Amino acid sequence: MKTIEEIKKIANQGPFEANWKTLNHFEIPRWFKKAKFGIFIHWGLYSIPAFNNEWYSRNMYRENSEEYHHHIQTYGQHTEFGYKEFIPQFTAEKFDAKEWIQLFKEAGATYFFPVAEHHDGFQMYQSELSNYNAVQMGPHRDILQELKEAGEKEGLVFCTSSHRAEHWFFMGHGKEFPSDVVEPMKKGDFYWPAQPEPDNQALQSTPYPTAEFLEDWLLRTVEIIDRYQPKVLYFDWWIQHESFKEYLQILAAYYYNCGYVWQEEVAICYKHDALMFGSGIVEIERGKFSNAQPFYWQSDTAIARNSWCYTETLDYKDVKEILYDLIEVVSKNGNLLLNVGPKGDGSIAEKDQILLKKIGEWLKINGEAIYDSKVWRKSGEGPTQLVSGQFQENQPVSYTPEDIRFTVSGESIYAFLMAPAAGGKVLIKSLATSKNQDVPEFHGLIKEVKLLGAFDDVQWEITDEGLVIILPEIIDELPKVCKITIV
């Protein structure tokens, strides 16, 4: 295990140094910009109670919350059955890394992000910094290593995430009434440090994390980097707090210098301007941009609206909504990271499997318009416009037959018909070549138009209003893709 001094030395010996000036030399990995679609995995102790969402460990200690009352009614008083009592129940008897990876591959994913440590502090990997990890307790298996090996064997790029930062306060409510969250605590204990929760997410909120906690955060993250060599690291919220800035620069420089030694392109995904812009990949949680961006980014969302982990009350999206998300993100210069929450026993719920397989079926037909594609000169046309920003998924977006999104790859422009009308006429105004326009949007010569997955040729013609396409009979309501080949 490296010391803080050794980490700082490596962070300042290479192409990068622990400052924003050199970290701004970061470049988005080429493989990442081609990959387009990945799988996020929230699985841990919180999957055992499977109640409400993955914040069970925090909320069960908040008096009068749903989780608080549910916990007492189901498991008993917090002094007798605390969160740590879920560890012996977390045996992962049905976990099979190969089966997971096969499913993700069938879904069309090209990379994946299992959560290494969530806010609850239980590590899903082998660790020298705490005994509270999946190798020494619970499953007695190195979950992260099994997934990495299975994924890489099938050609999926291994990435991982750390949500450790929030652990500073995540168990703090347990000190407000008799529970198993009691003093004294020391570094390495499961609930440590269990500080009072800030009233808000202010960048300078107090109590200010101590150097001991921040160094522990750095050591834990470096341990993941050294042991598992992920191609991308993802950090959840609260590392944007002022206290993390120095440590984030050290960590980023360390990781990027390791990538240079490994001869691998690596990256950090971050939210809320935790990193200086240009030193990592911008992450948008449960949201998108309304227009194509000049920088590359990633949107992370979940199969369900109301939780990232498996629960008995998931509000599932349908496959059409997920495909809309994928198309909107890719057409606007980003990747989609779709979360799946396995059950506590390690199996993946049947509904999740059905949705993933349907996504994969669509991608087998239309994947050439997604993978390795680039944005066109405009992301789309039509009346439906998204609202830029996070947490914009309360209601699914409704599209019209006039809503079209674009990508480009090779010699073709791909037009995604978001709500195609069976046997109807499609007008793509962005491909008009009218002489009446002062600045035509399109000057190319169209050689051929095909509807991906259709057996019959489509009828099409160029008019002053745009490219007109007559669609054949359509058997479902999923988005369709027209491949428009240019001479």
Side-chain angles (χ1 to χ4, degrees):
M1 187 69 212
K2 289 186 175 68
T3 65
I4 296 294
E5 291 70 28
E6 290 171 328
I7 293 168
K8 289 180 177 179
K9 183 177 180 180
I10 293 171
N12 289 284
Q13 285 185 341
F16 297 93
E17 297 175 7
N19 58 66
W20 296 128
K21 184 175 181 179
T22 62
L23 289 170
N24 199 251
H25 296 158
F26 163 82
E27 297 286 345
I28 303 287
R30 288 167 292 181
W31 70 262
F32 186 82
K33 292 194 287 187
K34 295 179 179 181
K36 304 303 181 186
F37 179 46
I39 296 291
F40 212 177
I41 310 166
H42 277 67
W43 186 51
L45 295 187
Y46 43 83
S47 306
I48 298 297
F51 185 81
N52 271 1
N53 56 50
E54 70 286 351
W55 280 37
Y56 189 87
S57 61
R58 167 187 177 263
N59 295 334
M60 65 172 274
Y61 293 107
R62 294 175 66 231
E63 291 185 275
N64 295 320
S65 69
E66 280 190 83
E67 290 84 352
Y68 174 86
H69 293 297
H70 170 82
H71 191 83
I72 292 174
Q73 293 168 6
T74 309
Y75 304 104
Q77 295 294 327
H78 296 68
T79 52
E80 302 299 323
F81 195 108
Y83 187 68
K84 66 180 182 297
E85 268 65 57
F86 287 116
I87 296 174
Q89 297 184 19
F90 187 48
T91 57
E93 63 271 20
K94 294 185 180 179
F95 168 62
D96 187 323
K98 294 179 181 178
E99 287 185 2
W100 283 20
I101 295 300
Q102 286 295 334
L103 177 62
F104 302 155
K105 188 173 182 179
E106 189 175 354
T110 55
Y111 62 103
F112 66 111
F113 274 85
V115 174
E117 179 181 349
H118 203 256
H119 313 326
D120 64 355
F122 189 77
Q123 298 161 294
M124 300 292 285
Y125 58 94
Q126 185 177 351
S127 176
E128 298 176 20
L129 296 170
S130 172
N131 294 329
Y132 290 91
N133 64 74
V135 175
Q136 294 179 258
M137 295 183 178
H140 294 284
R141 297 166 67 176
D142 191 334
I143 304 299
L144 217 57
Q145 183 64 29
E146 289 186 39
L147 286 168
K148 173 184 166 70
E149 291 177 357
E152 291 180 345
K153 187 174 181 179
E154 293 296 329
L156 270 64
V157 179
F158 171 77
C159 312
T160 193
S161 74
S162 169
H163 306 229
R164 174 70 184 178
E166 298 88 331
H167 194 69
W168 167 252
F169 58 81
F170 215 62
M171 314 301 291
H173 292 289
K175 294 180 179 179
E176 298 169 358
F177 65 96
S179 80
D180 64 328
V181 183
V182 296
E183 301 288 4
M185 291 184 185
K186 65 181 186 299
K187 184 171 68 174
D189 289 347
F190 189 31
Y191 297 151
W192 174 84
Q195 293 299 301
E197 183 172 339
D199 291 334
N200 53 51
Q201 297 180 24
L203 303 184
Q204 297 174 314
S205 59
T206 56
Y208 207 85
T210 61
E212 183 181 37
F213 177 78
L214 293 166
E215 288 182 359
D216 180 71
W217 173 87
L218 179 61
L219 289 168
R220 286 179 184 238
T221 312
V222 166
E223 184 177 51
I224 294 170
I225 292 169
D226 288 349
R227 191 181 296 276
Y228 302 98
Q229 297 188 3
K231 298 300 186 294
V232 182
L233 277 174
Y234 171 110
F235 292 123
D236 201 20
W237 65 282
W238 215 65
I239 61 162
Q240 75 269 25
H241 190 278
E242 181 183 33
S243 60
F244 283 90
K245 295 301 181 182
E246 176 185 351
Y247 293 87
L248 275 171
Q249 291 176 75
I250 295 169
L251 186 281
Y254 178 90
Y255 181 42
Y256 290 168
N257 283 339
C258 284
Y260 179 78
V261 172
W262 303 336
Q263 296 184 335
E264 297 282 358
E265 295 179 290
V266 299
I268 295 173
C269 294
Y270 68 95
K271 303 175 183 177
H272 308 297
D273 285 320
L275 270 63
M276 185 61 190
F277 186 86
S279 58
I281 300 172
V282 172
E283 190 80 23
I284 302 292
E285 182 176 355
R286 290 191 181 273
K288 293 170 277 294
F289 290 105
S290 59
N291 296 299
Q293 299 301 300
F295 55 90
Y296 210 80
W297 58 286
Q298 180 171 256
S299 171
D300 58 290
T301 188
I303 277 181
R305 285 187 184 81
N306 57 338
S307 177
W308 293 84
C309 78
Y310 175 80
T311 74
E312 299 292 341
T313 55
L314 290 179
D315 179 14
Y316 281 98
K317 300 175 182 176
D318 62 26
V319 67
K320 182 167 64 172
E321 184 177 353
I322 296 170
L323 292 175
Y324 284 157
D325 286 343
L326 177 62
I327 294 165
E328 289 282 18
V329 169
V330 172
S331 69
K332 295 175 172 64
N333 209 25
N335 281 14
L336 180 68
L337 183 62
L338 179 67
N339 181 75
V340 175
K343 293 183 176 182
D345 61 11
S347 62
I348 296 179
E350 183 179 3
K351 193 157 187 177
D352 295 55
Q353 293 190 44
I354 292 171
L355 283 170
L356 289 174
K357 289 176 181 178
K358 285 182 178 179
I359 294 168
E361 290 170 2
W362 187 88
L363 281 168
K364 285 178 182 177
I365 295 171
N366 302 291
E368 65 179 86
I370 296 289
Y371 304 116
D372 201 13
S373 66
K374 294 183 178 180
V375 295
W376 191 44
R377 61 183 58 169
K378 62 189 300 186
S379 60
E381 66 180 49
T384 305
Q385 296 296 314
L386 302 182
V387 176
S388 290
Q390 303 187 91
F391 305 107
Q392 300 291 329
E393 297 184 348
N394 292 332
Q395 297 295 328
V397 178
S398 295
Y399 291 90
T400 73
E402 289 75 41
D403 286 306
I404 299 167
R405 302 295 180 260
F406 301 107
T407 61
V408 63
S409 182
E411 61 183 0
S412 299
I413 299 168
Y414 293 91
F416 296 84
L417 313 180
M418 303 299 272
K425 181 174 73 173
V426 174
L427 174 63
I428 304 179
K429 297 178 182 179
S430 300
L431 295 177
T433 57
S434 173
K435 296 179 181 179
N436 296 325
Q437 292 180 318
D438 292 333
V439 184
E441 294 186 285
F442 178 69
H443 294 271
L445 298 174
I446 296 176
K447 176 183 178 182
E448 185 179 51
V449 177
K450 289 185 176 181
L451 184 68
L452 296 184
F455 294 104
D456 300 324
D457 294 337
V458 297
Q459 300 177 42
W460 60 276
E461 65 173 330
I462 295 292
T463 71
D464 288 348
E465 285 74 35
L467 172 62
V468 177
I469 304 172
I470 306 301
L471 296 178
E473 182 179 356
I474 293 175
I475 61 174
D476 60 50
E477 297 181 346
L478 298 183
K480 298 295 180 287
V481 182
C482 287
K483 179 179 182 179
I484 302 157
T485 303
I486 310 302
V487 175

